[in-house]
Amino acid sequence: MATRYTIGSGLVITALALTLIALLIPVDSFGSRPAAAVAGPAGDDDGGGTLSTAYGPLTAADRDFIRKVRLAGLWELPAGRQAQQRGSKPAIKTAGQHLIDGHTELDRQVIQVGQALGVDLPNQPSAQQQDWLGQMNRARGEEYERLFVQLLRRAHGKVFALLAGIRAQTRNSMVRALATSANATVLDHITVLEDTGLVDFDALSDNVQPTK
């Protein structure tokens, strides 16, 4: 009887000890990848939910934003280089150079953010962005310059609205910093595109999405 009592007491003590150890070990010790938590917004959900990171929660909307910053550079960098080569007006060449400078820096930042937060980034423009580049490739003379300005100004206007929401709502410090940089870059690009005098503001209010 005493032996059974001793064994039973030992098992209880062992179980309590293991429970205490489990409570004391940080959850992060069980893996280097962020752990899934609450599901993200249904509209932007990539299936990963909200992840816990060293920089704060990373939502599906945050990841969508990071990928869109990368996508923007994938078509705006070649568009900027093309404007430098084909633009006849100094204002077009200036806008092209601002696109190159801005997205070279943003691309560097977004790659760092993607690596730090474990976000897979696209490596080629979307089908729609490739279509826009194709339209510019086919255009000539003044038609090219007007198309370049209109497509880029429309896309930046759409992104500008997205930036405001992400900057205000994200709880991830790396995403917030990227949104701050992107906000300044997009505003600069909007300004130089409008300085060309070729923006048709009446044609900007449509349903074209820049990074879908």
Side-chain angles (χ1 to χ4, degrees), residues 23 26 31 39 47 54 65 68 77 94 105 126 128 172 178 191:
L23 290 172
F65 163 71
K68 283 180 177 176
L77 272 169
T94 296
E105 175 59 20
S126 69
Q128 187 175 65
N172 187 285
L178 179 63
T191 300

Side-chain angles (χ1 to χ4, degrees), residues 18-194:
L18 291 173
T19 301
L20 180 60
I21 291 171
L23 290 172
L24 290 175
I25 297 175
V27 174
D28 291 344
S29 299
F30 293 101
S32 58
R33 298 286 294 179
V38 183
D44 295 313
D45 197 353
D46 56 7
T50 295
L51 305 178
S52 174
T53 78
Y55 306 94
L58 182 71
T59 67
D62 291 334
R63 293 191 296 277
D64 181 62
F65 163 71
I66 293 169
R67 293 182 181 114
K68 283 180 177 176
V69 172
R70 171 66 169 164
L71 278 171
L74 289 174
W75 85 281
E76 291 181 33
L77 272 169
R81 296 188 188 104
Q82 187 184 72
Q84 281 277 290
Q85 297 168 359
R86 296 180 57 189
S88 61
K89 298 180 177 64
I92 297 293
K93 291 183 178 294
T94 296
Q97 189 60 54
H98 277 244
L99 289 175
I100 295 169
D101 294 342
H103 282 288
T104 297
E105 175 59 20
L106 268 185
D107 211 45
R108 181 190 67 79
Q109 291 181 38
V110 78
I111 290 172
Q112 288 182 345
V113 170
Q115 291 174 343
L117 297 178
V119 178
D120 294 329
L121 300 177
N123 55 21
Q124 63 180 8
S126 69
Q128 187 175 65
Q129 292 167 337
Q130 292 178 41
D131 179 64
W132 292 339
L133 288 170
Q135 290 180 46
M136 287 189 286
N137 286 334
R138 294 188 295 272
R140 295 291 180 269
E142 290 187 3
E143 178 193 3
Y144 162 74
E145 294 186 339
R146 289 186 179 278
L147 186 62
F148 163 78
V149 170
Q150 197 67 14
L151 286 173
L152 270 296
R153 173 59 181 82
R154 180 192 294 138
H156 280 80
K158 301 289 185 181
V159 172
F160 201 54
L162 169 67
L163 280 169
I166 292 294
R167 181 62 182 80
Q169 297 175 18
T170 186
R171 295 162 58 198
N172 187 285
S173 61
M174 289 199 80
V175 174
R176 189 179 304 113
L178 179 63
T180 299
S181 295
N183 186 73
T185 300
V186 169
L187 183 57
D188 171 71
H189 292 173
I190 286 175
T191 300
V192 294
L193 288 165
E194 292 176 350

